Amino acid sequence: MSDAPAPAAPPAEPAREARAIRVAILGNPNTGKTTLFNRLCGVRHKTSNFPGTTQEARVGFPRALPEGSELIDLPGIYSLELDQSEAAICRDVLAGQLAPRGEAVEAPDVVLVVTDATNMPRNLMLVGEAVRRCLPTVIAINMVDASRRKGIHADEGVLVRSLGVEAVPCSARTGEGFDALLAALTRARIPTESPPPSEDGLALWADDLYARMAAGYDQPRPDTFTDRLDRAFTHPLLGLGAFVAVMAGLFFVIFSLAAYPMGWIESIFSHLGGLVGAVLPPGAIHDLIADGVVAGIGATVVFLPQICLLFFLISLLEDTGYLARAAFVMDRVLRPFGLNGHAFVPLLSSHACALPGIIAARAVPDRRDRLATILTAPFMSCTARIPVYVLLTVLLFRDSPLMQAVAFTACYALGIAAGLLSALVARRTILRGPSRPMALELPSYRLPSVRTALFAAWDRGLVFLKKAGTIILAISIVLWWLGAYPGTEPPPEAVEIRERAEAAGADADALLAEADAIESRHATRRSFLGRMGETAEPVFRPLGYDRQLTVGVLASFAAREVFVATMAIQIAGRDDVEESGVFEAVATATRDDGRTPIFTRATCWSLLVYYVLAMQCLPTLAVTAKESGHWKWALLQLGWMWGLAYASALIVFQSLRASGVA
């Protein structure tokens, strides 16, 4: 902005007693609105939904404003007049018809319009729409540090004199101008001028206003480096290649770095379960707390590092300006399947976990596009599938790491292909209708804000724990109960081994471990879950699954990775397939006839296809029902994915068996 001394503020109202104020923060996407909100509020904010919608609102409580003041971070929009849910929410909040936490509603005391100093002509359109509301208004001219670097100058005093409101140059990244901005919020005034009511008149008004702001300043030279980057990142081939490289790097970082805290979390909860088990006396309460509650919480928290790291990196990419280019490139790829570039981030997020991916679909403006994205997201291979993929690819190609990697990659490719084809089917049938064109403004390139990325990771982590964690915990407890009861007496074989152990001396530990394994297998088979497996086995028999595999499939409805531990318990009596001898026992295990291997090659391929395509995650169904607004969409998702998985696995198994593959 201008290098001249800041213009005098408009005549201030008489001093008034400091009182709490409600500030609605309005702005275009990519203006740094959320970064400004985070700097004003720090961690003193919480995320909630507007009543009756799935749109998130962040409500902050800045210490620098009078006690009880709050800031409402509204969704980023290009216009208040657009026919989309985000714009409708902004209109309702400014009209005093909606509040983010369901309390009594009233119009905000102040509207803070955040603009981008490097793109004022486009932002002035929203400024004009906001001042039409005749509410006390302050304009934050953000990113002045970036505008100075680019040689962009404009006189903010023109805004002050033309509208009768304060316009404060600031930088959300550095904190520049924040004292002046906070002071302006406490003395905000109603605008003295309103632009013409028509859209054409508004555009002419915005152009004229910026022309007056920029009068007397030299125009900056074109940023040829930025233009060259854009030509590369949005090119049909180079852009797609850059996207693949960036995504490969992103997932490499996620899977390599997150492995450490995930290992620590598993170790902590393993020790915690042992500690609880040692403190509580044997009995039902002991088993519930140690094996149900602690294990269920651990199964939830263990994925938190991957989810937080994913959203941290996505926020960094978004802040640099690259993510908008990636969405532009992916729009070309997704459009033939009835989706658009808005679905890119939800589908990307679903590779960590479908739950935050489905929640992220709130950003898709069109309802049909949003539902198609929600229905498609669980096809993306999430991290919970990885243990299953690892076990089965190693069983298939024990002596060929290269082929293991190829098969592993093919699982991801199959999931993406099935998701896109499912989206196409949905958009041509139950979600028939034109897809809204993606309106996207390419933001300026800039250094990302680590602070903003940390807050994004924090927020998404809390959302995952609150929405998914409680569901996963409840399901884990139910499945633990089904697997632990009704309880049985130890089999005679185990009793005999324990008697031998009493007189074995040095060999007692090995004998006791053998007895424990036999008792564990015996209890698993006679549990409610084991009986359910025996009952359901005829359904899965055409896919090549015996009773034990059927139990594993049923148990993994809590979380897919449970399949591996369930198979290890049934076969070896221990839940860790990496323990000495356990993997070999699983690999060579036979069915109840004592002759037929459980994991034949045809069965392994059938299982791989099944787990890529099946809806084996009840928490995802609960979140789908909530985000779509009705359980019918969750049941449709369950039926379609399970039916597709069953049919595909059936074809794979029967074809391989017919061709002589054992």
Side-chain angles (χ1 to χ4, degrees), residues 62-140:
R63 292 190 178 91
L65 291 177
E67 181 68 27
S69 296
E70 64 180 27
L71 271 63
I72 304 173
D73 186 15
L74 294 173
I77 57 172
Y78 289 108
S79 170
L80 283 166
E81 311 307 328
L82 290 176
D83 181 21
Q84 63 183 52
S85 59
E86 294 92 335
I89 285 171
C90 293
R91 291 194 298 268
D92 290 344
V93 170
L94 297 186
Q97 299 172 355
L98 187 64
R101 291 176 292 169
E103 69 268 29
V105 295
E106 58 183 21
D109 300 296
V110 182
V111 179
L112 175 59
V113 186
V114 182
T115 63
D116 178 356
T118 67
N119 194 12
M120 285 300 292
R122 178 67 184 86
N123 289 191
L124 286 174
M125 297 284 288
L126 186 60
V127 170
E129 292 177 345
V131 299
R132 283 173 176 170
R133 268 60 185 177
C134 296
L135 294 169
T137 303
V138 173
I139 301 172

Side-chain angles (χ1 to χ4, degrees), residues 345-362:
V345 171
L347 297 183
L348 173 63
S349 305
S350 297
H351 282 93
C353 177
L355 302 177
I358 291 171
I359 294 170
R362 297 173 179 181

Side-chain angles (χ1 to χ4, degrees), residues 354-355 378-380 382 384-385 388-389 472 475 479 540 543 545 549-564 566 607-622 634 637-643 645-646:
L355 302 177
F379 279 108
M380 306 302 111
C382 64
R385 289 176 166 105
V388 182
Y389 292 175
I472 293 175
I475 293 173
L479 285 176
F540 289 93
L543 278 61
Y545 310 162
L549 283 176
T550 301
V551 171
V553 169
L554 295 178
S556 60
F557 271 98
R560 294 174 178 92
E561 69 276 10
V562 171
F563 172 81
V564 177
T566 302
L607 280 167
L608 264 182
V609 170
Y610 180 85
Y611 271 94
V612 168
L613 302 177
M615 169 53 72
Q616 288 286 113
C617 183
L618 294 181
T620 296
L621 293 175
Q637 188 181 62
L638 172 64
W640 171 255
M641 292 187 67
W642 189 84
Y646 187 94

Side-chain angles (χ1 to χ4, degrees), residues 235-425:
H235 190 275
L237 295 179
L238 292 178
L240 190 59
F243 168 78
V244 171
V246 170
M247 292 303 104
L250 180 140
F251 283 108
F252 173 78
V253 171
I254 289 174
F255 292 137
S256 58
L257 291 186
Y260 296 103
M262 291 178 73
W264 301 334
I265 291 172
E266 289 178 340
S267 178
I268 289 171
F269 277 92
S270 176
H271 288 301
L272 183 59
L275 178 64
V276 170
V279 171
L280 294 176
I285 299 299
H286 168 283
D287 295 341
L288 171 64
I289 300 299
D291 301 329
V293 175
V294 174
I297 295 174
T300 302
V301 177
V302 73
F303 293 107
L304 193 59
Q306 286 182 329
I307 290 169
C308 289
L309 188 55
L310 172 68
F311 281 104
F312 175 78
L313 295 175
I314 287 178
S315 179
L316 291 180
L317 288 175
E318 182 177 22
D319 223 10
T320 62
Y322 173 73
L323 210 57
R325 277 83 180 171
F328 180 82
V329 170
M330 291 306 295
D331 185 66
R332 299 192 190 106
V333 176
L334 297 174
R335 183 71 59 180
F337 299 97
L339 301 173
N340 59 37
H342 290 295
F344 159 64
V345 171
L347 297 183
L348 173 63
S349 305
S350 297
H351 282 93
C353 177
L355 302 177
I358 291 171
I359 294 170
R362 297 173 179 181
V364 180
D366 183 79
R367 180 176 180 273
R368 287 187 294 265
D369 290 342
R370 183 165 57 252
L371 286 171
T373 303
I374 289 172
L375 295 175
T376 301
F379 279 108
M380 306 302 111
S381 288
C382 64
T383 53
R385 289 176 166 105
I386 291 177
V388 182
Y389 292 175
V390 170
L391 173 65
L392 296 174
T393 54
V394 172
L395 287 172
L396 282 167
F397 305 105
R398 296 191 64 174
D399 300 321
S400 178
L402 176 61
M403 291 304 300
Q404 292 172 22
V406 171
F408 197 92
T409 304
C411 292
Y412 277 80
L414 175 60
I416 293 171
L420 294 179
L421 291 175
S422 297
L424 179 62
V425 170

Side-chain angles (χ1 to χ4, degrees), residues 482 524-541 545-555 566 570 592:
L482 290 173
T524 298
R525 181 167 185 174
R526 285 157 180 75
S527 66
F528 291 126
L529 189 61
R531 296 174 186 178
M532 290 169 62
E534 289 183 345
T535 302
E537 189 267 340
V539 176
F540 289 93
R541 189 182 302 151
Y545 310 162
D546 73 332
R547 172 191 60 81
Q548 297 171 85
L549 283 176
T550 301
V551 171
V553 169
L554 295 178
T566 302
Q570 291 188 99
D592 292 336

